[in-house]
Every structure is written in C-alpha cells, then in structure tokens.
Amino acid sequence: MPKVYTGSYERWHDDYERGRPGWPPEVVEIPDLPSTATALELGAGTAKLTRLLVARFEHVVAVEPDVGMRRLLVELCPEARLLAGSAEEIPLADASVDGVFVAEAFHLFDGERTLAEIARVLRPGGALVLMWTLPAEPTEPSIAAADRLVRERAPDNLGYDPADLNTRRYASGEWRVPFAGSPFEELQEVRLPNPQGVDRDALLAFYASMGWIADLSDAERRPVFDEIGSLLARTEYRRLWETHVHWTRLAALL
C-alpha cells in the first residue's frame, strides 16, 4: 500500500517547490535584453524562475517577502542576489535594473503601488514581464476525481480555484486595471506550452501547496489527504499547462 502524503504548513514551501510547475525557458528571452542586463524578480518564491534568469543574465536580483521562500531560494539559486522586500517597496535604487520579472504573483500585489515602484527602479526603456501558468488540457491519466474532491472540501469564497492555478484574479483581468494611465506601453502577450511530468508524491505536494490546505489543522488535513491519495493510483502523471506571458516597456520620456 503506497504511503499517503500528508502536507503541513511547516513544509508548505517544500510542497510548493516540489509540486508547482516551472517555467518554459523562452520566458527569459521575450524582453530581448542582453546577457549583461540586470534582471529583477519580484515575489521570487522558491527560485523556479530565478534559476532561468541566472542562466541568462549576468546580474539577477531576487526580492521575496516570505522567510520560508527565501530559505529555499538561497539554497536552490545561490547565484542570485537575494533581498527581503516587497513589490510595493522594492529595496533598490532608482533606475538600477533593465528588466523586471513577476511569475504567478502580480495579481497578489497592490497594482498601482507596484507599477510606480517598478517604474522607479527600471532604467529608461526597461522591460516588465508578467507570467501565469494555467491548465491547458486535462492531466494524463485523469485526476478529475481528485480535483472534484478537493473542490468539495475547500471553503467558499477563496478567490482562487482550490484545485489548480487558474486564479480568478488573473482570469478576471482585474490585474490589468492599474496599467491604465501608467508610464508603461501597451501590454503584449504570448502563450507557451509548459508540460510537466510528475510522480504521485509530487502531485500530492501540488495539492498540499494550496494555501487553504496548508491552513488546515493536522486533524482536518489528514483525512483529506487520505481521500485524495485513494484516488491517485498511478505512479506518474503528465500535466499539460500553458504559460501566459505579458510584457511591456517603460515608455520613453518625451
């Protein structure tokens, strides 16, 4: 009988790293920045994108507010310069970076304050790249029964899908509103395939990485994971994601 994975808040960051999908390598090429550029990542998490950035650019700064995320980031990507901070208060000097990257996080920020801060730290003509990963097709083999169970057990009014990454705040387009009247050019968009192969434990870690599950007490969480585990009989799964990339540049001063 396979061991059933039981998530806990204490290892939520590890669950996030193991279970969440990474990013297509092309995302760091989109803004057409030279390898000598200084790239800034906001809300860098466990360095899933940061690892691509350091392979592409000579100077990479990662800003992350969560101490648990920073613990993993410094272990997994020591090449980046790691700073504690937030998107609304970036701990960098004016006009000090060439590109800013935000992966799966911009919808969580105060958009107006964040865009003002990004405009402050970007050099003239600097690039801003935002990205989200959404399910493109059903997972193979099917995990529909596990997804249904997770949705049934989740509390109401989460503000995001309790079983996957299709956050309502991204899908609604509300994150675009602060760009109106901002000093940035019109947003461009491209969508990239982003398949992910996972084993059963990594899939369970994905479910454990949902914030609402991490907030459950052990007594509440264990039965949920017993049920989820009973619905996942295969050892390997293929998740078919699509990464939505939006990018723009700081408009030139007239």
Side-chain angles (χ1 to χ4, degrees), residues 43 45 54 63 78 87 91 102 105 136 145 150 155 191 228 234 246:
V54 298
V63 171
V102 185
V150 170
R191 299 184 179 186
I228 295 173
R234 301 290 288 272
H246 304 263

Side-chain angles (χ1 to χ4, degrees), residues 127-210:
L128 170 59
V129 184
L130 313 177
M131 64 195 79
W132 289 264
T133 288
L134 286 79
E137 297 180 37
T139 296
E140 300 171 353
S142 175
I143 58 170
D147 280 352
R148 282 196 297 271
L149 175 66
V150 170
R151 292 186 174 103
E152 289 169 2
R153 296 290 187 272
D156 295 330
N157 303 317
L158 277 178
Y160 59 88
D161 189 310
D164 67 37
L165 302 180
N166 185 13
T167 169
R168 296 169 196 165
R169 284 165 287 188
Y170 169 70
S172 71
E174 292 178 7
W175 61 273
R176 293 177 178 269
V177 173
F179 281 91
S182 77
F184 288 92
E185 298 175 356
E186 183 177 352
L187 284 160
Q188 302 180 65
E189 180 182 359
V190 67
R191 299 184 179 186
L192 302 169
N194 189 15
Q196 177 196 25
V198 296
D199 61 20
R200 181 174 177 275
D201 275 355
L203 181 54
L204 285 163
F206 172 84
Y207 287 122
S209 77
M210 298 294 136

Side-chain angles (χ1 to χ4, degrees), residues 10-90:
E10 289 72 24
R11 61 176 298 163
W12 175 77
H13 307 90
D14 299 281
D15 294 330
Y16 187 103
E17 168 59 24
R18 178 154 193 203
R20 296 288 182 102
W23 301 97
E26 300 94 325
V27 297
V28 299
E29 302 287 347
I30 284 171
D32 193 26
L33 294 172
S35 62
T36 54
T38 296
L40 165 65
E41 183 182 1
L42 298 175
T46 64
K48 286 182 175 291
L49 177 61
T50 324
R51 280 167 268 183
L52 295 178
L53 292 172
V54 298
R56 173 71 177 84
F57 301 111
E58 291 183 7
H59 309 286
V60 176
V61 181
V63 171
E64 170 55 50
D66 185 89
V67 65
M69 292 292 196
R70 294 199 302 271
R71 171 183 60 81
L72 280 177
L73 193 151
V74 75
E75 294 175 3
L76 296 168
C77 192
E79 303 93 335
R81 177 189 175 198
L82 176 59
L83 299 175
S86 70
E88 296 82 0
E89 295 184 15
I90 301 172

